[in-house]
Amino acid sequence: MKVETVRTKDGKVELAAELSKKEVAKEMRRIAESEIARYNYRLGINDDDPVEFLRKHLGYDEASFVFDEGIMRHRTPFALTAVEIDVIGKPVYKCLEHASADKPFTFHLVCVPVPDFELESYDPVSLTLPTQQVKSAEIEEEIQKMAQASAVAVTDRSHEIVFKGDKVELAMETTKDGKKVKPLCTDGREYNTGALAMPDDFDAAIIGMKVGETKSFTFEGPELELGPDGKPIMEKYQTTVTVKRIIDMQPPELDDAWAKTTMPDVKSMGDLRKKIEEKLVAKREDEYNRRAQALASNELAKRLKGDIPDLIYGVAVKEAREQLTSKLREENISLDDYLKKEGVEKDQLNNVLLMQVRGQLTRQFALNAYAKHLGLTVEEPDLEAFFESIAPGKAWQASMDFKQEGRMYAARCAALRLKASKDAVANANINTQGTNAS
């Protein structure tokens, strides 16, 4: 793909990207196969060419627009990487003629590049951060959590009547309309009263029963489907329940023998405490570093010289709104429900997004200015650190995703900002809060 700058005007850059015939054919086949898989279309015996199949299925005109849109959307990040432009928001792309596998395809994209700024000062920032030290009480708390997790069920003989909060073993036989309900039939199932695992009337019937007692009763429970009014459909169940025993979860004795069962290479409680401390220290250091980098970025942002153009704000707010809409759609949450949850009126949403965007942009531009002033550059370890920061434990996969999507220049820019924030922390005047008290 060839990419060249057509013009630069009013804070925007227009690029022209040209794909060869071979690249166009490859893109069209990729798009066709993706659309066929997405909508589960069935190819006939003679439909060997997915491109022609999609044209027949959608019609030539509609398929042409699908191919154009798919090519431009997919290739835009590659075009930006080719000319090394870091942008604000999503570029706008267009083409003058439809893509065809028998000739090159050219499209134009208009983008808003990240502007250059300066800082009022590049002196070290001052930060106040919590201590990284791990208290002995925190280690003991972790040990107690591990002990509770490995507790074993024993019969509780301290009382025979079931109270709310008791864990019990039940035998039960349940029917609905005279037919057995297999998931609710068992010779022995553990059940926690008061835990809302079953309907209230079932729970109420169990509480007060004695060990060994058998009781038959009816309770109501919701079906999986909702009724016309949007509320759960309630069904009646008939059940016969026997309380076999009351259960007490008995934690293990905290000794060397138990410690050996918890982690590899642990032979004593002393080893276990050391391992837990190492784990907590690593977690605390990660939290400390992230907080320190965020605070350093905020401090640098306060030093940004000049005003951010309205064009930048407009493009960034538009993208923020689109991302919010997409997120709400994925989570199946209405905008009204979201606003109610956040305590924001509909006409205030733009102001909220603008405040969020302003903070994000000033930090981004300040880190860029800091990195440029110091002459920082991105090396392979810096890229690896960036991918690890956005996908802990899956940095390699994140790297592959960025490469496949053509976003490597954007990744390098983000990696440079991360490196700048780390440098700002390394050279900061840090005041540590907290003590070494156990």
Side-chain angles (χ1 to χ4, degrees), residues 333-388:
I333 300 175
S334 69
L335 178 60
D336 288 339
D337 287 342
Y338 170 78
L339 295 174
K340 184 177 180 180
K341 177 184 176 183
E342 297 296 318
V344 177
E345 298 294 333
K346 198 168 186 177
D347 57 0
Q348 295 176 317
L349 182 59
N350 268 345
N351 290 332
V352 172
L353 291 177
L354 180 59
M355 290 176 62
Q356 294 174 348
V357 164
R358 180 182 288 116
Q360 178 183 343
L361 291 177
T362 53
R363 288 190 294 271
Q364 178 180 350
F365 299 158
L367 288 170
N368 285 346
Y370 183 86
K372 183 178 180 180
H373 178 79
L374 294 182
L376 300 180
T377 57
V378 174
E379 308 297 338
E380 195 62 32
D382 302 318
L383 270 175
E384 293 174 0
F386 164 69
F387 290 126
E388 181 64 27

Side-chain angles (χ1 to χ4, degrees), residues 66 88 153 205 215 218 226 258 282 294 307 319 346 349 381 390 414 420 431:
V66 169
I88 302 294
K215 180 191 287 188
T218 299
L226 299 178
W258 171 73
D307 297 324
E319 183 180 32
K346 198 168 186 177
L349 182 59
I390 63 172
N431 175 43

Side-chain angles (χ1 to χ4, degrees), residues 404-422:
Q404 291 174 358
E405 295 166 6
R407 297 190 293 146
M408 284 307 295
Y409 185 70
R412 295 188 71 85
C413 293
L416 182 63
R417 289 190 284 272
L418 177 60
K419 186 172 184 176
S421 68
K422 291 180 177 180

